[in-house]
Amino acid sequence: MSFTAMSSTAMILLIIVGLSLYLAYGIQDGWRRRYRQRRQKQQQQLELYRLRRQGNVLKLWLRHPSGQLLPKAKAGQHLQLFSQDQQGQPLSRAYSLVSDCQQRHYYMLAIKIEAGGKLTPLLAQNLSQGQLLSCSYPKGHFGPAVSLRNLLARLSRQPFKATPLVLVAGGIGITPLLPMINSALRQQRPVTLVYQARQRHDLLQHRKLRRFAAQTQLQYLPVLSQPDGNWPGRHGRITAAELAQLGGKQAEYLICASAEMVLTLEQGLADIGCRKVRHELFSAAHSTQSFAITLGSAQANSLGHSSVLDALLASGVKVPYDCRGGSCGACALRVIEGSCSNVLHSEFSVGADEVLSCCVQATSALQLAFPGEAAEAAADEDNLSPSPSAAMSVIDYRQA
Ligand code: FES
């Protein structure tokens, strides 16, 4: 065989192999995506085998009723709890897993009881040990980034050094960060926890964290904004400059706090030159701008609402929704005109001209339609009825 014939055969083989790999990846990716979407809608029954209340925080320990190992969870993931409100309407909320993700015998949740909340006061009143609770499988993508450098550092220690991890919690925002401490320490990553709260009794697991800091490489800095006279530690509000001093420009920063705290710190860290900053909000800021939001013939206004979905629901517009945390896709709407910006991280991918209305705020007047519908069709009242599953509402642990 001549050299030219051999090289064209090799070229054809190369193209065939490339195409097969591309197709195999596409098929496998499709399967994975479908599996994830199916899994996100599935529920499991878990037994509440322990229940404690610490101030306004309810701690729940859940296990499989027959003692089986629970599905694996990653640090930073949450569980969705399905229940009913006082009128018997389905209701669900998502709460961060607080337990160490290495063990699969139980999940632990820490839930802040909000006086005006729909679900948390009911949970505080009605939950009892031995009860079965309907929960989702662990979900969510908030956690430290996977990096080759950290992997090499874990395997070889020298000459690679793992990127320092700085975790910043505001109030109940501590919950997704707690399991990250264990997993970071297991990976020999230097880890710092900065915990902003109002008073000493608001610091969840304070004593345990202090003990842990004394025994491990964890650097723990609790900061109180309204301490009593006996508080020996830092008081006031943590600043971006202090964070940068603790971790340096190369550190990875994960912040879980209120929108105001996140925005201030993120902006400050960016100004200093810290690039690896990610956040999870436990409450999106309420819009201070007034923009008209139109869905078919229905009208709403963005002012004072934390998302487009909130604005529409507050005006009585029936929009399907479920998780209100960017993970179910039920609230997707098509943007016909106008613009919006993300206020919550979403895990569900939508079409190029669509948005998850629970995760965005309007940044101009908006004209919306349901996916796959013409703008006028959205005006038809029949089309506005939510699907059975859409009647459920959930705000994740970031809200009551
Ligand atoms: S993604 Fe679930 S309601 Fe918005």
Side-chain angles (χ1 to χ4, degrees):
M1 197 186 285
S2 73
F3 178 74
T4 328
M6 270 172 65
S7 57
S8 38
T9 314
M11 186 69 83
I12 290 167
L13 276 175
L14 212 65
I15 291 170
I16 291 172
V17 170
L19 272 176
S20 320
L21 285 175
Y22 180 73
L23 276 177
Y25 176 78
I27 291 168
Q28 186 257 8
D29 193 46
W31 282 343
R32 222 178 35 208
R33 216 182 281 202
R34 272 196 296 278
Y35 170 76
R36 270 212 306 261
Q37 285 173 5
R38 251 204 330 269
R39 188 76 180 228
Q40 284 195 346
K41 293 193 189 301
Q42 280 175 353
Q43 295 183 17
Q44 52 178 337
Q45 295 290 312
L46 297 180
E47 182 194 346
L48 176 64
Y49 78 96
R50 204 170 155 210
L51 178 66
R52 291 280 179 279
R53 186 168 174 166
Q54 179 189 338
N56 62 351
V57 175
L58 203 58
K59 297 180 183 172
L60 317 183
W61 283 260
L62 303 165
R63 67 182 171 198
H64 195 280
S66 56
Q68 285 175 28
L69 289 183
L70 295 167
K72 268 189 191 162
K74 287 192 204 139
Q77 286 195 309
H78 57 262
L79 278 193
Q80 206 169 330
L81 284 194
F82 299 92
S83 186
Q84 291 185 337
D85 66 11
Q86 264 158 338
Q87 286 72 45
Q89 292 299 311
L91 186 71
S92 69
R93 298 282 189 271
Y95 300 106
S96 290
L97 289 164
V98 176
S99 40
D100 184 1
C101 298
Q102 277 266 302
Q103 66 78 29
R104 293 170 55 195
H105 299 284
Y106 67 88
Y107 295 140
M108 185 192 164
L109 306 176
I111 300 171
K112 186 174 177 196
I113 304 161
E114 299 281 359
K118 266 191 170 180
L119 182 61
T120 52
L122 289 180
L123 291 179
Q125 243 173 14
N126 302 332
L127 284 183
S128 57
Q129 271 171 235
Q131 198 174 334
L132 286 182
L133 297 180
S134 296
C135 309
S136 69
Y137 285 80
K139 48 189 185 178
H141 298 291
F142 179 59
V146 179
S147 84
L148 185 63
R149 183 191 174 93
N150 291 342
L151 186 69
L152 289 173
R154 194 174 158 191
L155 296 175
S156 64
R157 292 208 191 189
Q158 292 294 336
F160 299 98
K161 279 206 172 122
T163 314
L165 179 65
V166 181
L167 305 171
V168 187
I172 197 68
I174 186 71
T175 49
L177 305 183
L178 289 170
M180 292 182 203
I181 297 172
N182 278 328
S183 65
L185 289 173
R186 269 195 296 269
Q187 292 165 17
Q188 283 127 26
R189 283 187 76 175
V191 54
T192 303
L193 172 67
V194 180
Y195 188 1
Q196 175 87 58
R198 206 170 301 167
Q199 296 186 322
R200 188 198 293 246
H201 60 253
D202 295 322
L203 292 169
L204 202 67
Q205 302 204 351
H206 174 56
R207 263 186 297 180
K208 192 171 165 187
L209 284 166
R210 267 196 0 196
R211 231 184 13 249
F212 206 47
Q215 294 163 357
T216 67
Q217 300 293 313
L218 170 70
Q219 195 183 353
Y220 174 46
L221 177 64
V223 182
L224 297 186
S225 57
Q226 294 168 21
D228 58 26
N230 300 324
W231 175 247
R234 164 87 168 80
H235 56 85
R237 292 204 169 271
I238 193 76
T239 63
E242 282 174 284
L243 290 181
Q245 232 171 25
L246 287 166
K249 284 188 187 172
Q250 297 310 318
E252 180 181 5
Y253 295 86
L254 293 182
I255 310 172
C256 185
S258 64
E260 189 197 350
M261 184 171 160
V262 165
L263 291 177
T264 313
L265 293 179
E266 248 185 358
Q267 186 58 57
L269 286 168
D271 292 345
I272 293 166
C274 302
R275 298 276 163 257
K276 295 178 210 142
V277 185
R278 292 174 55 224
H279 72 257
E280 179 99 320
L281 298 176
F282 61 76
S283 69
H286 291 170
S287 175
T288 52
Q289 293 179 298
S290 168
F291 295 117
I293 302 172
T294 312
L295 179 62
S297 61
Q299 291 275 347
N301 192 288
S302 61
L303 187 65
H305 298 290
S306 57
S307 67
V308 166
L309 177 69
D310 275 355
L312 288 166
L313 293 177
S315 300
V317 186
K318 290 177 180 166
V319 184
Y321 66 94
D322 189 346
C323 71
R324 286 176 89 161
S327 55
C328 72
C331 66
L333 293 173
R334 194 155 62 82
V335 180
I336 294 168
E337 213 178 307
S339 60
C340 23
S341 67
N342 275 318
V343 287
L344 285 183
H345 172 74
S346 60
E347 302 159 17
F348 198 91
S349 31
V350 286
D353 59 346
E354 291 172 7
V355 289
L356 292 174
S357 58
C358 68
C359 296
V360 295
Q361 286 269 28
T363 51
S364 75
L366 270 181
Q367 195 187 350
L368 304 165
F370 288 108
E373 282 182 351
E376 311 76 54
D380 182 353
E381 188 61 26
D382 290 346
N383 289 333
L384 297 178
S385 305
S387 63
S389 78
M392 291 187 275
S393 74
V394 57
I395 305 178
D396 60 15
Y397 61 87
R398 300 165 281 206
Q399 296 181 25

